[in-house]
Amino acid sequence: NAGVTQTPKFRVLKTGQSMTLLCAQDMNHEYMYWYRQDPGMGLRLIHYSVGEGTTAKGEVPDGYNVSRLKKQNFLLGLESAAPSQTSVYFCASSPGQTPTNEKLFFGSGTQLSVL
Amino acid sequence: SQQGEEDPQALSIQEGENATMNCSYKTSINNLQWYRQNSGRGLVHLILIRSNEREKHSGRLRVTLDTSKKSSSLLITASRAADTASYFCATETSYDKVIFGPGTSLSVIP
Protein backbone atom coordinates (compact mmCIF):
# COMPACT_ATOMS: atom_id res chain seq x y z
CA ASN A 1 0.00 0.00 0.00
CA ALA A 2 1.87 3.08 -1.26
CA GLY A 3 -0.39 5.75 0.30
CA VAL A 4 0.32 9.16 -1.25
CA THR A 5 3.00 9.29 -3.93
CA GLN A 6 4.46 12.48 -5.37
CA THR A 7 6.52 12.71 -8.54
CA PRO A 8 9.07 14.03 -9.14
CA LYS A 9 10.94 14.31 -5.83
CA PHE A 10 13.32 17.01 -7.06
CA ARG A 11 13.20 19.41 -9.98
CA VAL A 12 15.13 22.45 -11.13
CA LEU A 13 13.44 24.84 -13.54
CA LYS A 14 14.46 28.00 -15.32
CA THR A 15 12.29 31.08 -14.98
CA GLY A 16 9.40 30.88 -17.45
CA GLN A 17 9.43 27.11 -17.86
CA SER A 18 6.35 25.05 -17.13
CA MET A 19 5.94 21.78 -15.30
CA THR A 20 3.37 19.51 -13.70
CA LEU A 21 3.63 17.83 -10.32
CA LEU A 22 1.73 14.59 -9.95
CA CYS A 23 0.10 13.33 -6.77
CA ALA A 24 -1.39 9.85 -6.68
CA GLN A 25 -3.21 8.15 -3.80
CA ASP A 26 -4.36 4.55 -3.58
CA MET A 27 -6.66 4.89 -0.54
CA ASN A 28 -9.82 5.85 -2.47
CA HIS A 29 -9.83 9.23 -0.70
CA GLU A 30 -12.27 11.91 -1.77
CA TYR A 31 -10.29 14.98 -0.72
CA MET A 32 -6.86 16.00 -2.00
CA TYR A 33 -4.71 19.04 -1.23
CA TRP A 34 -1.62 20.80 -2.51
CA TYR A 35 0.52 22.80 -0.06
CA ARG A 36 3.79 24.63 -0.30
CA GLN A 37 6.23 24.94 2.59
CA ASP A 38 8.70 27.78 2.92
CA PRO A 39 11.07 28.38 5.86
CA GLY A 40 9.26 29.99 8.78
CA MET A 41 5.90 29.99 6.98
CA GLY A 42 4.59 26.53 7.77
CA LEU A 43 2.38 24.99 5.08
CA ARG A 44 0.21 27.17 2.89
CA LEU A 45 -2.72 25.75 0.97
CA ILE A 46 -2.50 26.28 -2.79
CA HIS A 47 -5.52 24.41 -4.17
CA TYR A 48 -7.65 21.53 -3.04
CA SER A 49 -10.31 19.16 -4.32
CA VAL A 50 -13.29 17.57 -2.57
CA GLY A 51 -13.95 15.04 -5.31
CA GLU A 52 -13.26 13.94 -8.85
CA GLY A 53 -13.79 16.81 -11.27
CA THR A 54 -13.81 19.50 -8.56
CA THR A 55 -11.14 22.01 -7.53
CA ALA A 56 -11.08 25.05 -5.26
CA LYS A 57 -8.63 27.81 -4.42
CA GLY A 58 -6.67 27.83 -1.19
CA GLU A 59 -4.63 30.58 0.45
CA VAL A 60 -2.02 31.12 -2.28
CA PRO A 61 -3.46 29.96 -5.64
CA ASP A 62 -1.91 32.56 -7.96
CA GLY A 63 0.53 31.15 -10.50
CA TYR A 64 -0.76 27.58 -10.13
CA ASN A 65 -3.44 25.48 -11.78
CA VAL A 66 -4.79 22.08 -10.79
CA SER A 67 -6.84 19.28 -12.23
CA ARG A 68 -8.60 16.24 -10.73
CA LEU A 69 -9.71 14.24 -13.74
CA LYS A 70 -9.39 10.95 -11.89
CA LYS A 71 -10.21 10.40 -8.23
CA GLN A 72 -6.78 9.00 -7.44
CA ASN A 73 -4.75 11.77 -9.09
CA PHE A 74 -4.33 15.48 -8.35
CA LEU A 75 -2.07 17.46 -10.67
CA LEU A 76 -0.45 20.79 -9.85
CA GLY A 77 0.73 22.88 -12.79
CA LEU A 78 3.07 25.82 -13.02
CA GLU A 79 2.51 27.53 -16.38
CA SER A 80 5.41 30.01 -16.14
CA ALA A 81 7.68 29.31 -13.20
CA ALA A 82 9.04 32.20 -11.12
CA PRO A 83 11.83 32.21 -8.50
CA SER A 84 9.16 32.95 -5.85
CA GLN A 85 7.78 29.47 -6.51
CA THR A 86 10.95 27.86 -5.20
CA SER A 87 9.62 25.75 -2.34
CA VAL A 88 8.86 22.28 -1.08
CA TYR A 89 5.49 21.09 -2.32
CA PHE A 90 3.41 18.59 -0.38
CA CYS A 91 0.35 16.72 -1.51
CA ALA A 92 -2.13 15.28 0.97
CA SER A 93 -5.33 13.29 0.85
CA SER A 94 -8.13 12.48 3.27
CA PRO A 95 -11.30 10.38 3.26
CA GLY A 96 -13.60 13.41 3.39
CA GLN A 97 -16.69 14.28 5.41
CA THR A 98 -17.42 11.59 8.05
CA PRO A 99 -19.14 13.83 9.57
CA THR A 100 -16.18 16.20 9.57
CA ASN A 101 -13.02 15.76 7.58
CA GLU A 102 -10.57 13.23 8.87
CA LYS A 103 -6.80 13.33 9.15
CA LEU A 104 -4.61 14.10 6.18
CA PHE A 105 -2.13 11.64 4.74
CA PHE A 106 0.92 13.34 3.26
CA GLY A 107 3.30 12.53 0.47
CA SER A 108 7.05 12.89 0.96
CA GLY A 109 7.28 16.20 -0.88
CA THR A 110 8.77 17.68 -4.05
CA GLN A 111 11.72 20.05 -3.78
CA LEU A 112 11.38 22.60 -6.59
CA SER A 113 14.00 25.21 -7.40
CA VAL A 114 13.34 27.93 -9.96
CA LEU A 115 16.47 29.72 -11.17
CA SER B 1 -2.49 36.23 7.48
CA GLN B 2 -2.64 32.61 8.55
CA GLN B 3 -5.62 31.01 10.26
CA GLY B 4 -3.53 29.26 12.90
CA GLU B 5 -0.59 30.59 14.90
CA GLU B 6 1.57 28.39 17.12
CA ASP B 7 3.32 29.62 20.22
CA PRO B 8 6.19 29.47 20.96
CA GLN B 9 8.00 29.43 17.63
CA ALA B 10 10.82 27.41 19.19
CA LEU B 11 11.10 25.39 22.38
CA SER B 12 14.11 23.64 23.90
CA ILE B 13 13.73 21.28 26.86
CA GLN B 14 15.57 18.49 28.63
CA GLU B 15 14.62 14.87 28.07
CA GLY B 16 11.94 13.83 30.55
CA GLU B 17 10.38 17.27 30.84
CA ASN B 18 6.94 18.13 29.49
CA ALA B 19 6.51 20.26 26.38
CA THR B 20 3.52 22.52 25.82
CA MET B 21 2.68 24.19 22.55
CA ASN B 22 -0.23 26.49 21.90
CA CYS B 23 -2.25 27.25 18.80
CA SER B 24 -4.61 30.16 18.24
CA TYR B 25 -6.93 30.55 15.29
CA LYS B 26 -9.24 33.20 13.91
CA THR B 27 -12.43 31.74 12.44
CA SER B 28 -14.84 29.01 13.45
CA ILE B 29 -13.63 25.48 12.87
CA ASN B 30 -14.98 21.97 12.36
CA ASN B 31 -11.94 20.33 13.91
CA LEU B 32 -8.34 21.00 14.87
CA GLN B 33 -5.46 18.64 14.21
CA TRP B 34 -1.84 18.43 15.29
CA TYR B 35 0.92 17.13 13.03
CA ARG B 36 4.61 16.41 13.47
CA GLN B 37 7.33 16.89 10.88
CA ASN B 38 10.80 15.50 11.26
CA SER B 39 13.50 17.43 9.43
CA GLY B 40 13.18 17.02 5.68
CA ARG B 41 10.26 14.63 5.90
CA GLY B 42 6.51 14.71 5.29
CA LEU B 43 3.98 15.47 8.00
CA VAL B 44 2.57 12.79 10.27
CA HIS B 45 -0.83 13.10 11.91
CA LEU B 46 -0.80 13.04 15.72
CA ILE B 47 -4.28 13.77 16.96
CA LEU B 48 -7.61 15.29 15.89
CA ILE B 49 -10.06 17.06 18.18
CA ARG B 50 -13.53 18.04 17.00
CA SER B 51 -15.13 21.39 17.74
CA ASN B 52 -17.54 19.83 20.25
CA GLU B 53 -14.72 18.15 22.23
CA ARG B 54 -12.66 19.82 24.95
CA GLU B 55 -9.85 17.36 25.63
CA LYS B 56 -8.32 14.32 24.00
CA HIS B 57 -5.50 11.95 24.89
CA SER B 58 -3.30 9.67 22.82
CA GLY B 59 -0.38 8.00 24.58
CA ARG B 60 1.90 10.78 25.86
CA LEU B 61 -0.09 13.43 24.01
CA ARG B 62 -2.85 15.57 25.49
CA VAL B 63 -4.74 18.10 23.43
CA THR B 64 -7.20 20.67 24.69
CA LEU B 65 -9.53 22.89 22.71
CA ASP B 66 -11.20 26.08 23.90
CA THR B 67 -13.50 27.30 21.14
CA SER B 68 -14.53 30.39 23.15
CA LYS B 69 -10.89 31.54 23.13
CA LYS B 70 -10.19 30.02 19.71
CA SER B 71 -7.15 28.23 21.07
CA SER B 72 -5.71 24.75 21.51
CA SER B 73 -2.74 23.32 23.35
CA LEU B 74 -0.63 20.23 22.78
CA LEU B 75 1.11 18.70 25.76
CA ILE B 76 3.82 16.07 25.30
CA THR B 77 4.64 14.42 28.60
CA ALA B 78 7.97 12.81 29.54
CA SER B 79 9.62 14.01 26.36
CA ARG B 80 12.25 11.95 24.54
CA ALA B 81 15.02 12.93 22.15
CA ALA B 82 12.98 11.29 19.38
CA ASP B 83 10.26 13.93 19.94
CA THR B 84 12.58 16.53 18.41
CA ALA B 85 10.63 17.83 15.41
CA SER B 86 8.41 20.65 14.21
CA TYR B 87 4.80 20.57 15.36
CA PHE B 88 1.93 22.15 13.43
CA CYS B 89 -1.68 22.77 14.23
CA ALA B 90 -4.17 22.63 11.39
CA THR B 91 -7.75 23.82 11.41
CA GLU B 92 -10.53 22.60 9.18
CA THR B 93 -12.67 25.59 8.35
CA SER B 94 -15.77 25.99 6.25
CA TYR B 95 -15.61 24.75 2.65
CA ASP B 96 -13.37 21.87 3.80
CA LYS B 97 -10.17 23.92 3.80
CA VAL B 98 -7.44 22.63 6.11
CA ILE B 99 -5.14 25.50 7.07
CA PHE B 100 -1.82 25.09 8.88
CA GLY B 101 -0.03 27.40 11.27
CA PRO B 102 3.70 28.25 11.01
CA GLY B 103 4.69 25.60 13.55
CA THR B 104 6.70 25.17 16.73
CA SER B 105 10.22 23.77 16.53
CA LEU B 106 10.83 21.47 19.50
CA SER B 107 14.31 20.38 20.56
CA VAL B 108 14.60 17.72 23.26
CA ILE B 109 18.10 17.58 24.69
CA PRO B 110 19.26 14.13 25.88
Side-chain angles (χ1 to χ4, degrees):
Chain A
N1 192 340
V4 179
T5 303
Q6 291 183 232
T7 53
K9 296 191 184 305
F10 302 94
R11 186 72 186 269
V12 178
L13 290 178
K14 294 182 179 179
T15 297
Q17 287 184 319
S18 64
M19 78 161 295
T20 300
L21 282 67
L22 171 63
C23 177
Q25 52 93 5
D26 60 3
M27 297 172 283
N28 200 35
H29 284 172
E30 288 293 332
Y31 291 12
M32 296 187 75
Y33 304 81
W34 275 108
Y35 292 90
R36 60 177 288 174
Q37 184 174 31
D38 303 296
M41 297 293 293
L43 278 76
R44 290 183 291 171
L45 180 63
I46 305 171
H47 287 282
Y48 65 107
S49 167
V50 298
E52 181 178 316
T54 74
T55 63
K57 294 180 180 179
E59 302 171 276
V60 288
D62 293 343
Y64 304 94
N65 56 74
V66 288
S67 64
R68 183 99 182 268
L69 298 179
K70 294 183 178 180
K71 186 177 183 178
Q72 64 267 34
N73 296 337
F74 196 29
L75 278 65
L76 177 70
L78 285 72
E79 291 186 346
S80 180
S84 61
Q85 294 177 306
T86 293
S87 188
V88 180
Y89 291 84
F90 286 100
C91 176
S93 71
S94 72
Q97 294 285 343
T98 61
T100 66
N101 201 0
E102 297 295 327
K103 67 180 183 180
L104 272 62
F105 294 78
F106 278 85
S108 57
T110 295
Q111 174 71 60
L112 176 66
S113 295
V114 182
L115 305 179
Chain B
S1 61
Q2 294 187 260
Q3 157 77 332
E5 295 283 341
E6 287 93 340
D7 171 58
Q9 290 185 329
L11 180 62
S12 183
I13 59 174
Q14 296 288 329
E15 200 166 30
E17 294 181 336
N18 295 340
T20 299
M21 287 160 267
N22 302 298
C23 171
S24 60
Y25 57 91
K26 298 174 182 176
T27 64
S28 61
I29 62 171
N30 295 327
N31 65 53
L32 186 145
Q33 305 174 41
W34 286 90
Y35 289 81
R36 183 185 72 210
Q37 183 181 37
N38 291 91
S39 180
R41 308 290 291 273
L43 279 76
V44 175
H45 181 266
L46 295 176
I47 196 164
L48 179 152
I49 185 165
R50 303 191 191 285
S51 59
N52 61 353
E53 297 176 315
R54 292 296 168 259
E55 187 171 313
K56 208 160 184 181
H57 297 257
S58 177
R60 294 184 294 113
L61 305 180
R62 173 178 171 256
V63 169
T64 61
L65 178 64
D66 187 333
T67 53
S68 66
K69 295 181 179 179
K70 291 186 169 58
S71 67
S72 172
S73 67
L74 170 68
L75 169 67
I76 304 174
T77 60
S79 64
R80 306 166 181 168
D83 294 329
T84 294
S86 292
Y87 292 82
F88 298 89
C89 73
T91 52
E92 186 203 339
T93 64
S94 58
Y95 306 107
D96 303 306
K97 289 183 180 181
V98 179
I99 304 296
F100 283 77
T104 292
S105 177
L106 173 65
S107 295
V108 181
I109 303 167

